[in-house]
Amino acid sequence: MKKGLVMEGGAMRGMFTAGVTDVIMENKIEFDGAVGVSAGAAFGCNIKSKQIGRAIRYNMSYCNDKRYCSLYSLITTGDLFGAEFCYHTLPDKLDIFDTETFYSNPMEFYVVCTDVETGKPVYKKIEESDKEFFCEWVRASASLPLISRIVEIQGLKLLDGGIADSIPIKFMESIGYDKNVVILTRPKDYVKGISKSLKLMRLFLKKYPNLVDAIEKRVDIYNETLEYISQKEKEGELFVIRPNDALPIERMESDPMKLKLVYDMGRENIQKRLSKLKEFLN
């Protein structure tokens, strides 16, 4: 039996996931592998480095710093979330990411990106040999179209993993994980609709027709995946953690108190279900 953890993205809705994973770490619940998409990768990597509280701490500290996320950053760098600050200054100097623990932890960790030239998902297993590019892989996974530059790594041009595979449960199953926990950032009745920025993306990304095609298909694939997850959950083959209601937060939230509120909602949600989670995994 291989135990896997799947973490959806959702920008600052990822504070819900951070609350869940911190409680998981506090209770010493471990997985053989994890996969994160976008914010699920950016915040979820702390479960492999075993840094309880890091995600909520640095987000509350720097959410109003113009270097972190701002129109200023978008205009001056091409990234709403400042690439240099978020993926280098912050983890290297301000709230240090424990790379030693991350690479010594045997748990596998994957990030999902979208190849802009093919429109297909790229599932990258992060290993110690990737240390030089680790933060760039996470950055690519979280680089949303229109508000981020394309990230180029080892010959690939990459953007947000949520375009091609927002909830990579089938990927985890395909590589042998048969006991999976999925953390979603939308409530059970959520159905994704067509993006309001679709026309803009068609215009500004027309150089990459396969990417545009993937963006157009995303709604159907996402909703089909939710149906798949719900069915597997009913059959007892998946353990799903999701908010009870729509999270009271904006995707680009800059109010630290709202970040903390959603983080606490994640903590409260899983604390009530800890015994069921342990029973499922064991």
Side-chain angles (χ1 to χ4, degrees), residues 10-271:
M12 289 308 176
R13 293 197 309 274
M15 288 296 95
F16 177 86
T17 301
V20 172
T21 54
D22 277 356
V23 171
I24 285 173
M25 285 189 278
E26 289 165 2
N27 285 272
K28 302 188 185 307
I29 297 170
E30 297 188 349
F31 295 87
D32 300 300
V35 59
V37 182
S38 195
F43 305 149
C45 61
N46 292 289
I47 197 169
K48 182 170 166 66
S49 64
K50 300 185 178 183
Q51 289 178 277
I52 298 169
R54 180 174 178 269
I56 184 60
R57 182 175 63 239
Y58 76 71
N59 274 282
M60 290 185 69
S61 296
Y62 298 104
C63 62
N64 284 303
D65 191 313
K66 66 181 182 181
R67 298 170 297 172
Y68 184 62
C69 178
S70 65
L71 185 59
Y72 169 85
S73 176
L74 180 62
I75 293 170
T76 58
T77 71
D79 293 297
L80 186 68
F81 287 88
E84 182 61 30
F85 183 79
C86 292
Y87 298 102
H88 298 284
T89 303
L90 203 160
D92 293 343
K93 299 177 181 179
L94 300 178
D95 199 319
I96 296 173
F97 184 70
D98 188 347
T99 55
E100 182 177 350
T101 298
F102 182 89
Y103 289 112
S104 64
N105 185 344
M107 182 182 78
E108 295 181 337
F109 191 81
Y110 296 84
V111 302
V112 185
C113 305
T114 299
D115 186 318
V116 302
E117 294 182 320
T118 66
K120 302 294 184 182
V122 176
Y123 305 101
K124 175 62 179 176
K125 181 181 177 181
I126 304 298
E127 300 181 279
E128 191 159 9
S129 58
D130 301 304
K131 187 179 292 186
E132 179 183 355
F133 300 102
F134 168 54
C135 285
E136 289 301 288
W137 278 105
V138 175
R139 175 190 160 207
S141 182
S143 290
L144 300 169
L146 302 183
I147 58 172
S148 307
R149 292 171 292 168
I150 291 171
V151 181
E152 298 190 31
I153 309 173
Q154 298 170 311
L156 295 173
K157 294 181 179 180
L158 306 167
L159 278 176
D160 174 35
I163 297 170
D165 193 354
S166 297
I167 315 170
I169 176 59
K170 292 182 180 179
F171 163 72
M172 288 297 274
E173 291 174 342
S174 74
I175 58 172
Y177 285 86
D178 51 5
K179 202 74 170 174
N180 292 298
V181 174
V182 180
I183 305 176
L184 302 177
T185 58
R186 298 285 197 180
K188 191 165 187 174
D189 59 354
Y190 177 75
V191 177
K192 183 176 283 296
I194 297 173
S195 171
K196 295 178 182 179
S197 59
L198 182 57
K199 290 183 179 179
L200 280 177
M201 287 191 275
R202 285 173 177 158
L203 176 64
F204 286 98
L205 298 170
K206 61 183 179 181
K207 181 180 177 182
Y208 303 103
N210 290 325
L211 178 66
V212 172
D213 184 57
I215 291 170
E216 292 177 341
K217 292 178 179 177
R218 183 188 182 194
V219 170
D220 291 338
I221 293 173
Y222 183 91
N223 290 330
E224 287 170 6
T225 303
L226 286 182
E227 290 179 9
Y228 178 81
I229 287 171
S230 292
Q231 184 59 40
K232 298 275 283 192
E233 182 183 23
K234 288 178 183 177
E235 295 168 356
E237 296 182 19
L238 280 181
F239 191 94
V240 183
I241 303 163
R242 56 167 74 83
N244 297 325
D245 301 294
L247 295 172
I249 195 169
E250 299 294 330
R251 284 176 61 84
M252 308 304 170
E253 188 62 65
S254 60
D255 183 341
M257 291 300 101
K258 288 186 179 180
L259 298 179
K260 183 63 163 54
L261 172 64
V262 170
Y263 169 81
D264 287 340
M265 289 172 70
R267 290 186 61 90
E268 182 180 359
N269 185 296
I270 190 58
Q271 283 170 339

